[in-house]
PDB file of all heavy atoms in Angstrom:
ATOM      1  N   LEU F 275      48.834  55.187   7.114  1.00  0.00           N
ATOM      2  CA  LEU F 275      48.791  53.903   6.414  1.00  0.00           C
ATOM      3  C   LEU F 275      49.093  54.045   4.921  1.00  0.00           C
ATOM      4  O   LEU F 275      49.734  53.173   4.321  1.00  0.00           O
ATOM      5  CB  LEU F 275      47.403  53.281   6.631  1.00  0.00           C
ATOM      6  CG  LEU F 275      47.259  51.801   6.367  1.00  0.00           C
ATOM      7  CD1 LEU F 275      48.328  50.984   7.046  1.00  0.00           C
ATOM      8  CD2 LEU F 275      45.876  51.339   6.810  1.00  0.00           C
ATOM      9  N   ILE F 279      52.026  51.969   2.956  1.00  0.00           N
ATOM     10  CA  ILE F 279      51.902  51.147   1.736  1.00  0.00           C
ATOM     11  C   ILE F 279      53.013  51.533   0.760  1.00  0.00           C
ATOM     12  O   ILE F 279      53.699  50.680   0.195  1.00  0.00           O
ATOM     13  CB  ILE F 279      50.506  51.344   1.093  1.00  0.00           C
ATOM     14  CG1 ILE F 279      49.432  50.817   2.033  1.00  0.00           C
ATOM     15  CG2 ILE F 279      50.422  50.667  -0.272  1.00  0.00           C
ATOM     16  CD1 ILE F 279      48.001  51.081   1.577  1.00  0.00           C
ATOM     17  N   HIS F 310      50.001  43.993  -5.109  1.00  0.00           N
ATOM     18  CA  HIS F 310      48.621  44.137  -4.644  1.00  0.00           C
ATOM     19  C   HIS F 310      48.661  44.016  -3.115  1.00  0.00           C
ATOM     20  O   HIS F 310      48.966  42.942  -2.589  1.00  0.00           O
ATOM     21  CB  HIS F 310      47.722  43.033  -5.214  1.00  0.00           C
ATOM     22  CG  HIS F 310      47.607  43.035  -6.714  1.00  0.00           C
ATOM     23  ND1 HIS F 310      47.925  44.120  -7.506  1.00  0.00           N
ATOM     24  CD2 HIS F 310      47.160  42.080  -7.578  1.00  0.00           C
ATOM     25  CE1 HIS F 310      47.704  43.837  -8.778  1.00  0.00           C
ATOM     26  NE2 HIS F 310      47.241  42.604  -8.852  1.00  0.00           N
ATOM     27  N   ILE F 311      48.348  45.110  -2.432  1.00  0.00           N
ATOM     28  CA  ILE F 311      48.558  45.131  -0.975  1.00  0.00           C
ATOM     29  C   ILE F 311      47.225  44.940  -0.238  1.00  0.00           C
ATOM     30  O   ILE F 311      46.287  45.740  -0.392  1.00  0.00           O
ATOM     31  CB  ILE F 311      49.218  46.470  -0.543  1.00  0.00           C
ATOM     32  CG1 ILE F 311      50.508  46.716  -1.348  1.00  0.00           C
ATOM     33  CG2 ILE F 311      49.505  46.464   0.959  1.00  0.00           C
ATOM     34  CD1 ILE F 311      51.598  45.676  -1.183  1.00  0.00           C
ATOM     35  N   GLY F 312      47.157  43.886   0.574  1.00  0.00           N
ATOM     36  CA  GLY F 312      45.975  43.637   1.399  1.00  0.00           C
ATOM     37  C   GLY F 312      46.047  44.487   2.665  1.00  0.00           C
ATOM     38  O   GLY F 312      47.118  44.645   3.250  1.00  0.00           O
ATOM     39  N   VAL F 313      44.918  45.044   3.053  1.00  0.00           N
ATOM     40  CA  VAL F 313      44.881  45.851   4.283  1.00  0.00           C
ATOM     41  C   VAL F 313      43.792  45.289   5.194  1.00  0.00           C
ATOM     42  O   VAL F 313      42.621  45.196   4.788  1.00  0.00           O
ATOM     43  CB  VAL F 313      44.587  47.334   3.951  1.00  0.00           C
ATOM     44  CG1 VAL F 313      44.496  48.155   5.228  1.00  0.00           C
ATOM     45  CG2 VAL F 313      45.677  47.898   3.057  1.00  0.00           C
ATOM     46  N   ALA F 314      44.183  44.884   6.390  1.00  0.00           N
ATOM     47  CA  ALA F 314      43.204  44.325   7.325  1.00  0.00           C
ATOM     48  C   ALA F 314      42.277  45.430   7.813  1.00  0.00           C
ATOM     49  O   ALA F 314      42.739  46.484   8.255  1.00  0.00           O
ATOM     50  CB  ALA F 314      43.930  43.690   8.510  1.00  0.00           C
ATOM     51  N   VAL F 315      40.985  45.198   7.692  1.00  0.00           N
ATOM     52  CA  VAL F 315      39.996  46.190   8.142  1.00  0.00           C
ATOM     53  C   VAL F 315      39.115  45.551   9.212  1.00  0.00           C
ATOM     54  O   VAL F 315      38.568  44.462   9.026  1.00  0.00           O
ATOM     55  CB  VAL F 315      39.117  46.679   6.961  1.00  0.00           C
ATOM     56  CG1 VAL F 315      38.068  47.661   7.457  1.00  0.00           C
ATOM     57  CG2 VAL F 315      39.972  47.320   5.879  1.00  0.00           C
ATOM     58  N   ASP F 316      39.016  46.252  10.313  1.00  0.00           N
ATOM     59  CA  ASP F 316      38.210  45.796  11.436  1.00  0.00           C
ATOM     60  C   ASP F 316      36.758  46.222  11.187  1.00  0.00           C
ATOM     61  O   ASP F 316      36.497  47.406  10.993  1.00  0.00           O
ATOM     62  CB  ASP F 316      38.785  46.507  12.672  1.00  0.00           C
ATOM     63  CG  ASP F 316      38.022  46.209  13.918  1.00  0.00           C
ATOM     64  OD1 ASP F 316      37.594  45.070  14.076  1.00  0.00           O
ATOM     65  OD2 ASP F 316      37.870  47.132  14.741  1.00  0.00           O
ATOM     66  N   LEU F 321      37.078  40.553  10.892  1.00  0.00           N
ATOM     67  CA  LEU F 321      38.192  41.082  10.104  1.00  0.00           C
ATOM     68  C   LEU F 321      38.050  40.715   8.626  1.00  0.00           C
ATOM     69  O   LEU F 321      37.779  39.564   8.294  1.00  0.00           O
ATOM     70  CB  LEU F 321      39.457  40.423  10.661  1.00  0.00           C
ATOM     71  CG  LEU F 321      40.787  40.896  10.159  1.00  0.00           C
ATOM     72  CD1 LEU F 321      41.048  42.316  10.629  1.00  0.00           C
ATOM     73  CD2 LEU F 321      41.877  39.976  10.671  1.00  0.00           C
ATOM     74  N   VAL F 322      38.243  41.700   7.745  1.00  0.00           N
ATOM     75  CA  VAL F 322      38.309  41.392   6.311  1.00  0.00           C
ATOM     76  C   VAL F 322      39.563  42.061   5.749  1.00  0.00           C
ATOM     77  O   VAL F 322      40.080  43.011   6.327  1.00  0.00           O
ATOM     78  CB  VAL F 322      37.057  41.883   5.533  1.00  0.00           C
ATOM     79  CG1 VAL F 322      35.837  41.062   5.861  1.00  0.00           C
ATOM     80  CG2 VAL F 322      36.790  43.348   5.785  1.00  0.00           C
ATOM     81  N   VAL F 323      40.055  41.522   4.639  1.00  0.00           N
ATOM     82  CA  VAL F 323      41.307  42.047   4.087  1.00  0.00           C
ATOM     83  C   VAL F 323      41.116  42.400   2.605  1.00  0.00           C
ATOM     84  O   VAL F 323      41.461  41.621   1.721  1.00  0.00           O
ATOM     85  CB  VAL F 323      42.471  41.030   4.268  1.00  0.00           C
ATOM     86  CG1 VAL F 323      43.800  41.663   3.862  1.00  0.00           C
ATOM     87  CG2 VAL F 323      42.547  40.540   5.701  1.00  0.00           C
ATOM     88  N   PRO F 324      40.534  43.590   2.325  1.00  0.00           N
ATOM     89  CA  PRO F 324      40.452  44.010   0.929  1.00  0.00           C
ATOM     90  C   PRO F 324      41.846  44.320   0.378  1.00  0.00           C
ATOM     91  O   PRO F 324      42.761  44.613   1.148  1.00  0.00           O
ATOM     92  CB  PRO F 324      39.579  45.265   0.982  1.00  0.00           C
ATOM     93  CG  PRO F 324      39.694  45.766   2.375  1.00  0.00           C
ATOM     94  CD  PRO F 324      39.958  44.580   3.248  1.00  0.00           C
ATOM     95  N   VAL F 325      41.952  44.240  -0.933  1.00  0.00           N
ATOM     96  CA  VAL F 325      43.263  44.370  -1.570  1.00  0.00           C
ATOM     97  C   VAL F 325      43.307  45.628  -2.437  1.00  0.00           C
ATOM     98  O   VAL F 325      42.395  45.867  -3.243  1.00  0.00           O
ATOM     99  CB  VAL F 325      43.528  43.119  -2.442  1.00  0.00           C
ATOM    100  CG1 VAL F 325      44.795  43.285  -3.263  1.00  0.00           C
ATOM    101  CG2 VAL F 325      43.618  41.873  -1.557  1.00  0.00           C
ATOM    102  N   ILE F 326      44.363  46.416  -2.242  1.00  0.00           N
ATOM    103  CA  ILE F 326      44.576  47.578  -3.113  1.00  0.00           C
ATOM    104  C   ILE F 326      45.455  47.106  -4.270  1.00  0.00           C
ATOM    105  O   ILE F 326      46.607  46.716  -4.064  1.00  0.00           O
ATOM    106  CB  ILE F 326      45.247  48.727  -2.349  1.00  0.00           C
ATOM    107  CG1 ILE F 326      44.307  49.144  -1.227  1.00  0.00           C
ATOM    108  CG2 ILE F 326      45.590  49.877  -3.281  1.00  0.00           C
ATOM    109  CD1 ILE F 326      44.585  50.470  -0.632  1.00  0.00           C
ATOM    110  N   LEU F 341      41.947  53.631   0.355  1.00  0.00           N
ATOM    111  CA  LEU F 341      41.850  53.020   1.691  1.00  0.00           C
ATOM    112  C   LEU F 341      40.531  53.404   2.366  1.00  0.00           C
ATOM    113  O   LEU F 341      39.843  52.556   2.945  1.00  0.00           O
ATOM    114  CB  LEU F 341      42.975  53.548   2.569  1.00  0.00           C
ATOM    115  CG  LEU F 341      44.249  52.733   2.672  1.00  0.00           C
ATOM    116  CD1 LEU F 341      45.280  53.515   3.458  1.00  0.00           C
ATOM    117  CD2 LEU F 341      43.952  51.406   3.352  1.00  0.00           C
ATOM    118  N   MET F 344      37.679  51.630   0.565  1.00  0.00           N
ATOM    119  CA  MET F 344      37.689  50.186   0.866  1.00  0.00           C
ATOM    120  C   MET F 344      37.167  49.910   2.276  1.00  0.00           C
ATOM    121  O   MET F 344      36.388  48.993   2.499  1.00  0.00           O
ATOM    122  CB  MET F 344      39.121  49.647   0.794  1.00  0.00           C
ATOM    123  CG  MET F 344      39.603  49.438  -0.599  1.00  0.00           C
ATOM    124  SD  MET F 344      38.963  47.872  -1.172  1.00  0.00           S
ATOM    125  CE  MET F 344      40.034  47.530  -2.517  1.00  0.00           C
ATOM    126  N   SER F 345      37.659  50.726   3.250  1.00  0.00           N
ATOM    127  CA  SER F 345      37.214  50.433   4.609  1.00  0.00           C
ATOM    128  C   SER F 345      35.733  50.741   4.788  1.00  0.00           C
ATOM    129  O   SER F 345      35.037  50.047   5.523  1.00  0.00           O
ATOM    130  CB  SER F 345      38.061  51.098   5.692  1.00  0.00           C
ATOM    131  OG  SER F 345      38.728  52.191   5.226  1.00  0.00           O
ATOM    132  N   ALA F 348      33.950  47.821   3.323  1.00  0.00           N
ATOM    133  CA  ALA F 348      34.081  46.671   4.232  1.00  0.00           C
ATOM    134  C   ALA F 348      33.095  46.793   5.390  1.00  0.00           C
ATOM    135  O   ALA F 348      32.399  45.836   5.739  1.00  0.00           O
ATOM    136  CB  ALA F 348      35.511  46.582   4.758  1.00  0.00           C
ATOM    137  N   LEU F 353      31.832  44.693   0.201  1.00  0.00           N
ATOM    138  CA  LEU F 353      32.981  44.195  -0.574  1.00  0.00           C
ATOM    139  C   LEU F 353      32.541  42.978  -1.368  1.00  0.00           C
ATOM    140  O   LEU F 353      31.751  42.170  -0.889  1.00  0.00           O
ATOM    141  CB  LEU F 353      34.108  43.784   0.375  1.00  0.00           C
ATOM    142  CG  LEU F 353      34.918  44.909   1.021  1.00  0.00           C
ATOM    143  CD1 LEU F 353      35.910  44.311   2.005  1.00  0.00           C
ATOM    144  CD2 LEU F 353      35.636  45.745  -0.019  1.00  0.00           C
ATOM    145  N   MET F 358      38.874  40.926  -2.353  1.00  0.00           N
ATOM    146  CA  MET F 358      39.736  40.387  -1.295  1.00  0.00           C
ATOM    147  C   MET F 358      40.692  39.325  -1.829  1.00  0.00           C
ATOM    148  O   MET F 358      41.243  38.545  -1.079  1.00  0.00           O
ATOM    149  CB  MET F 358      38.864  39.808  -0.175  1.00  0.00           C
ATOM    150  CG  MET F 358      38.152  40.909   0.577  1.00  0.00           C
ATOM    151  SD  MET F 358      36.959  40.310   1.759  1.00  0.00           S
ATOM    152  CE  MET F 358      35.562  39.994   0.729  1.00  0.00           C
ATOM    153  N   PHE F 363      51.028  40.943  -0.409  1.00  0.00           N
ATOM    154  CA  PHE F 363      51.625  41.265   0.893  1.00  0.00           C
ATOM    155  C   PHE F 363      50.531  42.000   1.669  1.00  0.00           C
ATOM    156  O   PHE F 363      49.715  42.694   1.069  1.00  0.00           O
ATOM    157  CB  PHE F 363      52.837  42.184   0.660  1.00  0.00           C
ATOM    158  CG  PHE F 363      53.548  42.635   1.917  1.00  0.00           C
ATOM    159  CD1 PHE F 363      54.537  41.845   2.498  1.00  0.00           C
ATOM    160  CD2 PHE F 363      53.260  43.874   2.499  1.00  0.00           C
ATOM    161  CE1 PHE F 363      55.210  42.273   3.637  1.00  0.00           C
ATOM    162  CE2 PHE F 363      53.920  44.296   3.642  1.00  0.00           C
ATOM    163  CZ  PHE F 363      54.909  43.494   4.212  1.00  0.00           C
ATOM    164  N   SER F 364      50.485  41.814   2.977  1.00  0.00           N
ATOM    165  CA  SER F 364      49.410  42.467   3.737  1.00  0.00           C
ATOM    166  C   SER F 364      49.946  43.365   4.835  1.00  0.00           C
ATOM    167  O   SER F 364      51.060  43.156   5.339  1.00  0.00           O
ATOM    168  CB  SER F 364      48.491  41.420   4.394  1.00  0.00           C
ATOM    169  OG  SER F 364      47.809  40.696   3.405  1.00  0.00           O
ATOM    170  N   ILE F 365      49.131  44.341   5.169  1.00  0.00           N
ATOM    171  CA  ILE F 365      49.448  45.232   6.292  1.00  0.00           C
ATOM    172  C   ILE F 365      48.265  45.212   7.252  1.00  0.00           C
ATOM    173  O   ILE F 365      47.107  45.278   6.823  1.00  0.00           O
ATOM    174  CB  ILE F 365      49.682  46.685   5.819  1.00  0.00           C
ATOM    175  CG1 ILE F 365      50.802  46.728   4.774  1.00  0.00           C
ATOM    176  CG2 ILE F 365      50.012  47.585   7.000  1.00  0.00           C
ATOM    177  CD1 ILE F 365      51.094  48.124   4.232  1.00  0.00           C
ATOM    178  N   SER F 366      48.565  45.056   8.520  1.00  0.00           N
ATOM    179  CA  SER F 366      47.525  45.101   9.532  1.00  0.00           C
ATOM    180  C   SER F 366      47.879  46.229  10.493  1.00  0.00           C
ATOM    181  O   SER F 366      48.890  46.143  11.200  1.00  0.00           O
ATOM    182  CB  SER F 366      47.487  43.752  10.255  1.00  0.00           C
ATOM    183  OG  SER F 366      46.575  43.818  11.311  1.00  0.00           O
ATOM    184  N   SER F 367      47.106  47.296  10.465  1.00  0.00           N
ATOM    185  CA  SER F 367      47.447  48.447  11.296  1.00  0.00           C
ATOM    186  C   SER F 367      46.502  48.584  12.479  1.00  0.00           C
ATOM    187  O   SER F 367      45.295  48.744  12.310  1.00  0.00           O
ATOM    188  CB  SER F 367      47.384  49.736  10.470  1.00  0.00           C
ATOM    189  OG  SER F 367      47.566  50.838  11.334  1.00  0.00           O
ATOM    190  N   ASN F 381      48.741  35.906   5.846  1.00  0.00           N
ATOM    191  CA  ASN F 381      47.545  35.718   5.030  1.00  0.00           C
ATOM    192  C   ASN F 381      47.932  34.836   3.835  1.00  0.00           C
ATOM    193  O   ASN F 381      48.327  35.326   2.795  1.00  0.00           O
ATOM    194  CB  ASN F 381      47.094  37.129   4.591  1.00  0.00           C
ATOM    195  CG  ASN F 381      45.725  37.159   3.988  1.00  0.00           C
ATOM    196  OD1 ASN F 381      44.976  36.186   4.084  1.00  0.00           O
ATOM    197  ND2 ASN F 381      45.403  38.266   3.345  1.00  0.00           N
ATOM    198  N   GLU F 384      50.340  34.326   0.901  1.00  0.00           N
ATOM    199  CA  GLU F 384      51.432  35.295   1.011  1.00  0.00           C
ATOM    200  C   GLU F 384      52.461  34.753   1.997  1.00  0.00           C
ATOM    201  O   GLU F 384      52.175  33.778   2.711  1.00  0.00           O
ATOM    202  CB  GLU F 384      50.871  36.646   1.505  1.00  0.00           C
ATOM    203  CG  GLU F 384      49.913  37.262   0.487  1.00  0.00           C
ATOM    204  CD  GLU F 384      49.033  38.362   1.075  1.00  0.00           C
ATOM    205  OE1 GLU F 384      49.428  38.982   2.066  1.00  0.00           O
ATOM    206  OE2 GLU F 384      47.936  38.573   0.528  1.00  0.00           O
TER     207      GLU F 384
END
Side-chain angles (χ1 to χ4, degrees):
L275 198 49
I279 295 174
H310 298 342
I311 306 299
V313 178
V315 178
D316 177 38
L321 187 68
V322 289
V323 188
V325 173
I326 298 197
L341 265 174
M344 282 279 199
S345 23
L353 285 176
M358 290 173 278
F363 179 86
S364 294
I365 303 179
S366 175
S367 173
N381 192 13
E384 295 163 25

